């Protein structure tokens, strides 16, 4: 495990850079692909637009030439002249001169005029006169205008072909020859070379290249920013590490017995295990602010405190004694919030108090045994020396004052050995703090305890809190009065002190909690520690209860707490028979 932990940082650094590099490369590839596609589409659309513009220009020029009356007359004349015109005659003809002038004026690659058979009557290359055109002129000779991108004797070009309709009349050597109206006697072809068509492509390409470069730059900057933000959000962890972290978190949080809460730096609950929700009785709280939850103020202050060091406290929440451990969490100097670990210490505290009560009672019983042995030796000595009267007086004194001289007033009212020893020991502890323990006049226990541990735990907690309240009170001398009464198998206890009492809560059946908590139905504060909630829990497990009988009467007495513990007394034989 240590070796694995030692290797983990190295793997984390490698995974971190690899993941960041992958994200950056992926983003750059996406940006380049998008820019390339957009640039290609723009270039294709620009080329198509330029070709269409060149074809439209060629068509307009061809239409203009074809509609010229002189051209129509000349073409009609050539079409009506029998035989094939010669190249020599066409070179000096008007159509050749017209075609050359139009081409020079418009910048066209060629202006070709043909008759109805496709024989060239005008062409930039004089050697091509009198020959049939290299590209099809069927559409134009059929009376239809057309545009296209074709390759002819002068190379590829954007060209337009327009039919030439016969003139209404033509003069051939002084004779007038009539022609049919709408008859096609030839066609006009006008074309533009690619250099002319794409003359603006260089400028537009530079513009597109500049835009593409700008887009790539923006994409690169955005990718770097996204990479930095991604590293910050993931704390530099790669996807494999994040997946392992989630698995480990689920395994750890689900496998521990403690409750765990995660609180973000802004006070929002990000993690809450089922155990934590059960111990704090808060239900599903993920996504809510911690200080908005129905939790005790000391616990909220403990969690939302900005202290950089771990803090812990033991608190009473509801009927449970909880140990809360709060630790700040950070990664690479980034504050991630706080982790709250909640441990249930109720059973531990209850067991501790049981052991304390048993130890106290054991010590008292050991002292009683020692004292009984001493007194038995004294009685035996009196009897052996024949001093029967003195022995009887000594026994009477023992019966009147009990086996030991505890600092407990009216101790003779309680004869049950466990209670007598336990209250005697508690009386000694209270006397050391200046508090007198008194057995009340209503005390009467005729049976014997069959479960002294629960009785001494509950009664001891009530006595401890009462002594604390009496010491803190203003009445002097301080005192605590205890009354114990059995009824069948039930034991009833009442503890009253001379303290200042507790604030009324309107819930007479609810005992107080520790002074650091004000929560649930445990709102009364009396004494110190966590004994009262534990005492009530022990009593309720047996079907009994612990409650506040009186919050106190100013000038008379402090708080009065009562307890009912069923099944803790074994009735005396006579009482059992009467029952």
């Amino acid at each position: 495990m240590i070796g694995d932990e030692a290797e983990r940082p190295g793997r984390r650094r490698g995974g971190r850079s690899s993941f960041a590099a992958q994200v950056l490369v992926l983003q750059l590839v996406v940006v380049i692909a998008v820019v390339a596609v957009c640039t290609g589409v723009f270039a294709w659309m620009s080329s198509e637009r330029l070709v269409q513009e060149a074809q439209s220009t060629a068509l307009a020029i061809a239409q203009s030439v074809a509609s010229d009356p002189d051209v129509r007359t000349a073409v009609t004349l050539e079409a009506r002249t029998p035989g094939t015109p010669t190249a020599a005659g066409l070179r000096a003809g008007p159509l050749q001169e017209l075609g050359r002038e139009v081409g020079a004026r418009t910048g066209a690659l060629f202006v070709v005029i043909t008759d109805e058979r496709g024989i060239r009557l005008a062409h930039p290359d004089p050697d091509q006169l009198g020959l049939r055109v290299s590209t099809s002129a069927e559409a134009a000779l059929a009376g239809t205008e057309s545009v296209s991108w074709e390759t002819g004797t002068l190379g590829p070009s954007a060209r337009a072909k327009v039919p030439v309709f016969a003139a209404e009349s033509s003069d051939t050597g002084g004779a007038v020859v009539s022609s049919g109206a709408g008859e096609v006697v030839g066609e006009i072809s006008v074309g533009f070379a690619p250099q002319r068509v794409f003359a603006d492509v260089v400028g537009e390409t530079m513009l597109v290249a500049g835009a593409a470069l700008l887009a790539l730059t923006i994409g690169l900057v955005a990718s770097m920013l996204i990479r930095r933000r991604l590293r910050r959000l993931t704390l530099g962890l790669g996807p494999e590490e994040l997946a392992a972290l989630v698995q480990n978190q689920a395994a750890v949080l689900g496998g521990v017995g403690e409750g765990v809460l995660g609180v973000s730096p802004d006070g929002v609950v990000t993690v809450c295990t089922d155990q934590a929700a059960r111990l704090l009785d808060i239900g599903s709280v993920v996504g809510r602010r911690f200080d908005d939850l129905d939790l005790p103020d000391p616990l909220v202050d403990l969690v939302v405190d900005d202290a950089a060091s771990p803090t812990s406290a033991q608190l009473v929440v509801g009927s449970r004694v909880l140990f809360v451990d709060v630790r700040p969490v950070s990664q690479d100097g980034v504050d991630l919030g706080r982790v709250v670990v909640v441990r249930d210490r109720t059973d531990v505290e209850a067991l501790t108090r049981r052991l304390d009560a048993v130890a106290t009672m054991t010590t008292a019983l050991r002292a009683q045994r020692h004292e009984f042995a001493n007194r038995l030796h004294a009685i035996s000595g009196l009897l052996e020396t024949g001093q029967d009267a003195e022995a009887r007086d000594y026994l009477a004194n023992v019966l009147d004052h009990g086996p030991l001289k505890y600092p407990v007033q009216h101790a003779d009212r309680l004869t049950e050995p466990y209670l007598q020893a336990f209250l005697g020991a508690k009386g000694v502890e209270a006397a050391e703090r200046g508090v007198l323990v008194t057995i009340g006049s209503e005390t009467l226990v005729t049976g014997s305890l069959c479960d002294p541990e629960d009785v001494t735990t509950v009664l001891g907690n009530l006595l401890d809190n009462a002594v604390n309240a009496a010491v803190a009170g203003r009445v002097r001398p301080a005192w605590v009065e205890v009354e114990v009464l059995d009824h069948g198998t039930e034991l009833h206890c009442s503890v009253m002190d001379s303290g200042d009492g507790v604030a009324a809560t309107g819930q007479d059946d609810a005992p107080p909690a520790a002074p650091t908590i004000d929560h649930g139905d445990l709102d009364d504060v009396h004494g110190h520690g966590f004994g009262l909630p534990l005492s009530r829990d022990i009593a309720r497990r047996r079907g009994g209860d612990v409650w506040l009988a009186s919050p106190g009467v100013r000038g008379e007495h402090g708080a009065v707490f009562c307890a009912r513990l069923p099944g803790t007394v074994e009735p005396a034989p006579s009482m059992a028979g009467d029952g």
Side-chain angles (χ1 to χ4, degrees):
M1 295 299 293
I2 297 177
D4 295 341
E5 292 298 328
E7 295 177 1
R8 187 170 300 170
R11 293 202 304 270
R12 178 176 297 177
R13 287 193 294 269
R16 178 187 306 173
S17 60
S18 175
F19 177 62
Q22 290 178 8
V23 172
L24 180 60
V25 171
L26 179 61
Q27 290 174 340
L28 289 179
V29 168
V30 172
V31 171
I32 292 174
V34 171
V35 171
V37 170
C38 294
T39 303
V41 172
F42 181 80
W44 175 79
M45 294 178 62
S46 298
S47 299
E48 290 294 317
R49 176 178 57 80
L50 293 174
V51 170
Q52 291 176 2
E53 290 178 357
Q55 291 173 346
S56 298
T57 303
L59 180 61
I61 296 173
Q63 290 173 342
S64 176
V65 174
S67 63
D68 189 329
D70 293 337
V71 173
R72 293 178 62 186
T73 300
V75 174
T76 301
L77 180 61
E78 291 290 343
R80 294 295 179 260
T81 301
T84 301
T86 63
L90 293 174
R91 283 191 185 99
L95 293 178
Q96 177 68 6
E97 182 65 24
L98 177 65
R100 185 180 295 111
E101 291 178 357
V102 173
R105 186 171 62 250
T106 61
L109 176 63
F110 61 84
V111 176
V112 177
I113 303 175
T114 70
D115 60 9
E116 80 279 5
R117 294 172 296 174
I119 301 300
R120 297 187 183 98
L121 304 178
H123 193 277
D125 186 1
D127 295 337
Q128 300 295 327
L129 295 175
L131 300 178
R132 186 177 296 276
V133 293
S134 60
T135 58
S136 176
E138 292 181 1
L141 295 177
T144 303
E145 298 176 349
S146 64
V147 293
S148 62
W149 180 275
E150 293 180 323
T151 302
T153 58
L154 298 178
S157 62
R159 60 185 64 188
K161 296 181 179 181
V162 176
V164 178
F165 294 98
E168 294 181 359
S169 63
S170 59
D171 187 359
T172 60
V176 178
V177 180
S178 299
S179 61
E183 180 184 0
V184 177
V185 294
E187 59 96 10
I188 308 294
S189 295
V190 178
F192 286 91
Q195 296 81 1
R196 177 64 185 274
V197 173
F198 301 112
D200 297 334
V201 169
V202 176
E204 293 184 358
T205 302
M206 295 300 295
L207 180 62
V208 172
L213 183 60
L214 178 61
L216 285 175
T217 304
I218 295 175
L220 178 61
V221 173
S223 299
M224 296 298 294
L225 293 177
I226 292 174
R227 176 172 174 263
R228 290 181 57 187
R229 177 168 177 79
L230 183 62
R231 289 188 59 183
R232 184 168 61 253
L233 292 178
T234 61
L235 303 178
L237 300 178
E240 297 83 3
E241 292 172 312
L242 290 175
L245 183 63
V246 172
Q247 294 174 353
N248 294 338
Q249 176 181 338
V252 172
L253 295 183
V256 299
E258 292 84 3
V260 179
L261 282 91
V263 183
S264 65
D266 54 357
V268 177
V269 178
T270 56
V271 177
C272 181
T273 62
D274 296 337
Q275 180 73 350
R278 184 181 67 84
L279 293 177
L280 298 176
D281 192 20
I282 53 179
S284 178
V285 296
V286 175
R288 296 175 56 187
R289 291 191 58 82
F290 188 83
D291 50 7
D292 291 339
L293 304 180
D294 187 18
L295 292 174
D297 292 339
L299 178 58
V300 175
D301 296 339
L302 193 68
V303 174
V304 300
D305 186 17
D306 293 334
S309 59
T311 57
S312 60
Q314 186 163 303
L315 308 172
V316 174
V317 179
S319 60
R320 298 182 179 276
V321 178
L322 304 179
F323 183 81
V324 181
D325 188 11
V326 181
R327 294 181 177 272
V329 181
S330 62
Q331 176 76 16
D332 295 335
V334 179
D335 183 16
L336 303 181
R338 283 162 176 74
V339 173
V340 183
V341 180
V342 183
R343 300 180 180 89
D344 190 0
R345 299 291 298 272
T346 305
D347 295 338
V348 175
E349 286 293 326
L351 180 60
T352 301
R353 292 184 176 274
R354 285 176 181 269
L355 293 177
D356 290 341
V358 171
T360 301
M361 186 174 60
T362 302
T363 301
L365 291 176
R366 186 180 298 111
Q368 280 192 353
R369 176 183 174 278
H370 182 71
E371 184 67 18
F372 270 120
N374 291 336
R375 292 182 178 183
L376 286 176
H377 286 302
I379 295 173
S380 176
L382 290 174
L383 293 177
E384 288 179 358
T385 58
Q387 302 180 29
D388 297 342
E390 287 80 358
R392 283 193 296 271
D393 293 340
Y394 186 80
L395 285 174
N397 183 62
V398 169
L399 291 176
D400 290 339
H401 297 90
L404 287 178
K405 294 295 184 179
Y406 289 122
V408 177
Q409 192 174 16
H410 304 302
D412 56 322
R413 294 175 178 173
L414 189 60
T415 59
E416 206 284 328
Y418 284 109
L419 291 175
Q420 190 180 62
F422 180 72
L423 291 177
K426 285 294 183 181
V428 173
E429 295 178 0
E432 293 176 353
R433 303 181 61 184
V435 179
L436 175 63
V437 176
T438 303
I439 305 300
S441 59
E442 300 296 328
T443 297
L444 178 61
V445 178
T446 58
S448 59
L449 297 184
C450 60
D451 194 349
E453 290 185 6
D454 282 353
V455 174
T456 53
T457 300
V458 174
L459 186 58
N461 287 331
L462 296 180
L463 271 171
D464 289 341
N465 280 349
V467 170
N468 291 334
V471 171
R474 293 180 295 237
V475 176
R476 291 294 180 272
W479 53 266
V480 171
E481 181 178 287
V482 182
E483 290 185 345
V484 187
L485 177 67
D486 65 340
H487 178 69
T489 61
E490 291 185 349
L491 184 69
H492 298 262
C493 306
S494 172
V495 178
M496 179 171 60
D497 58 67
S498 62
D500 298 331
V502 298
T505 65
Q507 298 181 9
D508 294 338
D509 60 340
T516 56
I517 289 297
D518 182 20
H519 179 61
D521 62 346
L522 304 175
D523 296 328
D524 302 271
V525 177
H526 185 65
H528 301 281
F530 310 100
L532 291 172
L534 297 177
S535 299
R536 187 183 67 170
D537 184 60
I538 293 173
R540 288 186 175 180
R541 289 179 186 177
R542 308 188 64 95
D545 206 351
V546 174
W547 67 96
L548 175 65
S550 172
V553 179
R554 182 178 296 274
E556 296 184 11
H557 60 78
V560 179
F561 283 88
C562 296
R564 182 173 61 87
L565 301 173
T568 57
V569 178
E570 182 178 350
S574 60
M575 299 297 295
D578 295 342

